[in-house]
Amino acid sequence: MPFKAEYEKWLHNTQKEQEIQHELVNMTEAEKEDAFRCDLEFGTAGLRGIMGAGTNRMNQYIVGKASQGVANYLQKHYQESSVVIGFDSRINSEAFAKKAAGVFAANGIKVQLWPVLMPVPLVSFATRYLHASAGIMITASHNPGQYNGYKVYGAD
């Protein structure tokens, strides 16, 4: 089963991160399959999923991967790109926003990261108002508390 190889890769590569290691080591076979059977996919306006370890979960690695994908797009389509990033009060929202900001900054993209909680519509507004190339909002909107998400807004 392909999910087992991905699980083993995560188990080996996250050894220094105690919280993730603890979660991985204590997963049942069914939990491993659910967490690693596929990649979390973009849906309406972005990614949304249960927080936890795995490719089918919201975590710092998935946020980093999504941010790198958006950064690649921005670099391809904009001479000088910028991104506005906001976050809500959900668990890990601020940490995910900072992870995204770090990925964009490492790619030479100007980042405007809100230092405090912001409502979702403000990032959409700020993206247009500040003439940013994109906006990112870390939120899972109406989904249950164990979820978080990564919404992407275009310049328009």
Side-chain angles (χ1 to χ4, degrees):
M1 293 189 184
F3 76 88
K4 288 185 180 184
E6 191 65 28
Y7 167 81
E8 291 296 329
K9 187 168 42 170
W10 274 60
L11 190 62
H12 175 72
N13 290 323
T14 61
Q15 291 175 349
K16 294 181 182 176
E17 299 174 52
Q18 292 179 349
E19 186 177 325
I20 291 176
Q21 273 293 300
H22 180 74
E23 183 179 348
L24 290 169
V25 168
N26 290 298
M27 284 180 167
T28 65
E29 283 301 307
E31 289 169 334
K32 290 175 192 175
E33 183 173 7
D34 188 49
F36 291 97
R37 66 183 158 77
C38 63
D39 289 342
L40 197 59
E41 293 185 9
F42 260 76
T44 306
L47 296 167
R48 243 172 253 89
I50 296 171
M51 288 180 280
T55 58
N56 191 30
R57 299 285 184 263
M58 277 297 297
N59 55 63
Q60 65 176 335
Y61 302 106
I62 300 307
V63 169
K65 185 177 179 180
S67 297
Q68 186 60 56
V70 174
N72 292 347
Y73 174 86
L74 295 177
Q75 289 176 323
K76 184 177 179 181
H77 292 89
Y78 293 90
Q79 190 102 0
E80 291 183 34
S81 52
S82 62
V83 64
V84 173
I85 302 174
F87 59 93
D88 67 7
S89 62
R90 284 181 178 263
I91 296 169
N92 293 323
S93 285
E94 184 175 3
F96 291 165
K98 288 178 179 177
K99 175 67 173 186
V103 171
F104 289 113
N107 280 276
I109 296 170
K110 182 180 177 183
V111 176
Q112 297 183 40
L113 172 63
W114 255 250
V116 294
L117 303 175
M118 287 291 148
V120 174
L122 189 57
V123 170
S124 180
F125 170 79
T127 301
R128 292 182 78 182
Y129 184 79
L130 297 172
H131 306 287
S133 310
I136 306 294
M137 181 65 192
I138 306 296
T139 181
S141 300
H142 62 280
N143 289 282
Q146 70 270 30
Y147 282 69
N148 210 327
Y150 182 100
K151 289 187 176 190
V152 180
Y153 299 94
D156 61 350

